[in-house]
Amino acid sequence: MTTVEFVTFEASKSYLENPTKTITDTVKWVAKEAGFISAYYGVQTEDKNIGHIVIVWETYEHHDTVMKRADYNELLELIKPCLAAPLVMQHVPYVIPNVALESPTTELATFRLKDSQGKELVESGLRTLSAEIDKKSRHPPSVWNEVREKPGSYILAIGWDSKVHHEETVKAENFQKIIGNLLQVADISLIHVDLKKFTV
């Protein structure tokens, strides 16, 4: 299944001033690898010091093969100019991720189980929330799945016209009820990023 790699980091001054220039060598290195589909980058709306790189792979195994290469350290050196602190990398399998990533604003909502017994409730709630969002968003489908590195954590990716459009939409009673039910079984955090697709 298509896998999305989310790379999050405290951004360097160079990245904040010119992300396209700073990230170019990194993405060009990755883009020549088998299984690479596309890459996106941006800065978080809520915290302008946090950078995001998103890479879409045909499968997780394609990414894993790259990490096992003898020259993988070359990639680690290439990305260093983007970073002011160590990065965090997460992988999530999605069916159709590109619409959410290519929207004017991408919401990334993380749901962390409070108790392993709540897994079915969280997944049911996410299924319902995603379906309702797709009725209101101009950029369906929204996509969600479990984070490979963090069992019990899920990332829901949604495309919106803007952060304001998101905030106004979820004020509706049906959304408040669904989110309220999810809050009983999961801790929720969310951010927004205006992602730019890298042209190789």
Side-chain angles (χ1 to χ4, degrees):
M1 181 184 289
T2 302
T3 292
V4 176
E5 177 180 339
F6 292 104
V7 181
T8 307
F9 52 94
E10 184 180 341
S12 66
K13 181 180 179 181
S14 176
Y15 181 89
L16 294 174
E17 290 178 350
N18 193 335
T20 304
K21 180 180 178 181
T22 310
I23 199 178
T24 292
D25 290 342
T26 300
V27 178
K28 283 186 174 180
W29 194 98
V30 175
K32 63 182 174 59
E33 298 304 310
F36 171 87
I37 295 177
S38 56
Y40 307 81
Y41 61 97
V43 174
Q44 188 182 125
T45 301
E46 289 80 3
D47 185 342
K48 300 294 186 182
N49 292 312
I50 302 299
H52 292 264
I53 300 171
V54 181
I55 300 172
V56 183
W57 297 95
E58 290 179 18
T59 66
Y60 175 80
E61 286 69 31
H62 283 97
H63 158 77
D64 193 47
T65 297
V66 172
M67 290 188 69
K68 292 175 179 176
R69 281 181 45 155
D71 59 353
Y72 182 66
N73 280 339
E74 288 182 15
L75 178 60
L76 299 181
E77 289 299 317
L78 289 172
I79 200 172
K80 279 184 178 180
C82 299
L83 313 177
L87 59 80
V88 175
M89 185 165 37
Q90 301 181 92
H91 296 85
V92 185
Y94 292 129
V95 178
I96 308 173
N98 59 299
V99 179
L101 300 176
E102 294 176 15
S103 301
T105 291
T106 301
E107 175 194 352
L108 299 174
T110 301
F111 299 76
R112 299 178 183 85
L113 281 175
K114 293 180 179 180
D115 187 311
S116 60
Q117 301 301 313
K119 183 179 177 69
E120 289 186 10
L121 291 173
V122 168
E123 292 186 354
S124 175
L126 282 169
R127 197 173 296 113
T128 301
L129 179 60
S130 181
E132 289 300 308
I133 286 169
D134 288 349
K135 296 176 184 178
K136 297 295 184 181
S137 169
R138 297 185 184 93
H139 309 279
S142 55
V143 290
W144 63 273
N145 213 332
E146 194 167 16
V147 179
R148 184 182 180 94
E149 292 84 356
K150 298 178 180 178
S153 288
Y154 300 79
I155 295 179
L156 168 65
I158 309 166
W160 297 101
D161 285 341
S162 65
K163 180 183 177 183
V164 172
H165 181 215
H166 161 219
E167 292 171 341
E168 290 299 317
T169 300
V170 298
K171 287 179 181 178
E173 184 177 348
N174 62 321
F175 284 109
Q176 290 301 306
K177 182 177 180 180
I178 296 167
I179 294 168
N181 289 337
L182 279 164
L183 281 168
Q184 294 181 31
V185 290
D187 295 315
I188 304 174
S189 60
L190 60 90
I191 58 102
H192 299 82
V193 189
D194 297 347
L195 292 168
K196 183 177 181 180
K197 187 173 184 179
F198 189 90
T199 303
V200 180

